[in-house]
C-alpha cells in the first residue's frame, strides 16, 4: 500500500448492514477486522457467520481478531460507570501485553485496506479508537485514522 498507511474504523450501532457495506465499498476496504470479544449480535447481519458471508458477497475479507478485544471485566465496568478514561487506561495496559497481535495488525495494514469493526457508533466511546491510537504511536504518528 503506497503512501501514508490508513486505518478505517466503524461501529454498527444504529446502522443496517447495507449502510455499513456501502461505507466500506466507498473507501475501498478489503478486510473487515472484527475486534469484538464475542462476534455475536441480535442485530441481523452482525454475527460472525453473517458477516463472513456478507463480506464474501461484497468481495471483502472478514477476520475476527479476539486478541485485540477489550477484556469483559473492563467493558462491564465502563458500561456501569461510563468512565471512558478507565477504558483508555485499562485497554492500553492490556494492549501492552499483546505485541504479537499488534504486529499482525500492522502487517495487515501494510498490505490491505483494513477497517476495524465494533458495536459503538461513537468511536470516542469504543476501544477501536484506543487501538487505532496505540497503532499510530507504534508507527511514529504516521497512521491516518478515519472513522466511517
Amino acid at each position: 500500500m503506497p503512501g501514508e498507511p490508513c486505518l478505517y474504523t466503524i461501529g454498527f450501532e444504529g446502522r443496517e448492514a447495507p449502510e455499513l457495506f456501502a461505507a466500506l465499498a466507498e473507501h475501498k476496504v478489503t478486510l473487515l477486522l472484527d475486534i469484538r470479544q464475542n462476534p455475536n449480535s441480535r442485530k441481523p447481519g452482525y454475527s460472525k457467520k453473517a458477516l463472513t458471508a456478507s463480506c464474501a458477497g461484497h468481495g471483502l475479507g472478514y477476520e475476527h481478531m479476539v486478541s485485540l478485544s477489550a477484556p469483559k471485566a473492563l467493558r462491564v465496568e465502563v458500561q456501569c460507570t461510563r468512565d471512558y478514561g478507565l477504558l483508555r487506561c485499562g485497554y492500553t495496559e492490556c494492549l501492552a501485553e499483546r505485541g504479537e497481535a499488534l504486529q499482525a495488525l500492522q502487517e495487515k495494514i501494510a498490505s490491505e485496506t483494513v477497517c476495524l469493526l465494533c458495536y459503538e457508533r461513537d468511536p470516542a466511546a469504543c476501544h477501536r479508537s484506543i487501538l487505532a491510537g496505540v497503532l499510530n504511536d507504534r508507527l511514529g504518528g504516521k497512521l491516518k485514522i478515519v472513522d466511517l
Side-chain angles (χ1 to χ4, degrees):
M1 184 163 41
E4 180 181 56
C6 184
L7 176 64
Y8 294 97
T9 78
I10 196 165
F12 65 84
E13 180 181 21
R15 295 180 201 252
E16 297 302 321
E19 177 189 351
L20 181 128
F21 283 102
L24 298 176
E26 179 182 343
H27 295 280
K28 299 178 176 47
V29 169
T30 60
L31 176 64
L32 185 62
L33 191 64
D34 193 338
I35 58 169
R36 297 175 291 166
Q37 187 169 46
N38 298 306
N40 301 314
S41 178
R42 285 180 245 154
K43 186 169 178 82
Y46 291 107
S47 66
K48 184 176 183 173
K49 186 175 180 178
L51 282 169
T52 300
S54 292
C55 282
H58 286 88
L60 302 172
Y62 170 83
E63 188 174 333
H64 175 229
M65 204 164 182
V66 70
S67 57
L68 294 175
S69 66
K72 183 177 182 175
L74 179 60
R75 290 191 331 268
V76 168
E77 188 169 354
V78 171
Q79 212 170 31
C80 292
T81 65
R82 297 291 182 215
D83 183 349
Y84 297 108
L86 176 67
L87 176 64
R88 182 166 300 284
C89 284
Y91 185 54
T92 300
E93 286 177 16
C94 178
L95 289 175
E97 299 172 4
R98 296 181 182 176
E100 286 182 29
L102 291 169
Q103 182 61 39
L105 179 52
Q106 282 179 238
E107 291 169 10
K108 290 174 192 312
I109 292 169
S111 64
E112 298 194 58
T113 304
V114 176
C115 184
L116 302 178
L117 172 74
C118 202
Y119 172 73
E120 290 81 5
R121 186 162 190 122
D122 179 3
C126 183
H127 71 293
R128 69 180 187 271
S129 63
I130 299 165
L131 174 56
V134 166
L135 277 174
N136 191 30
D137 289 346
R138 286 175 62 107
L139 293 170
K142 296 181 189 310
L143 180 63
K144 180 181 176 184
I145 302 164
V146 179
D147 187 64
L148 304 179

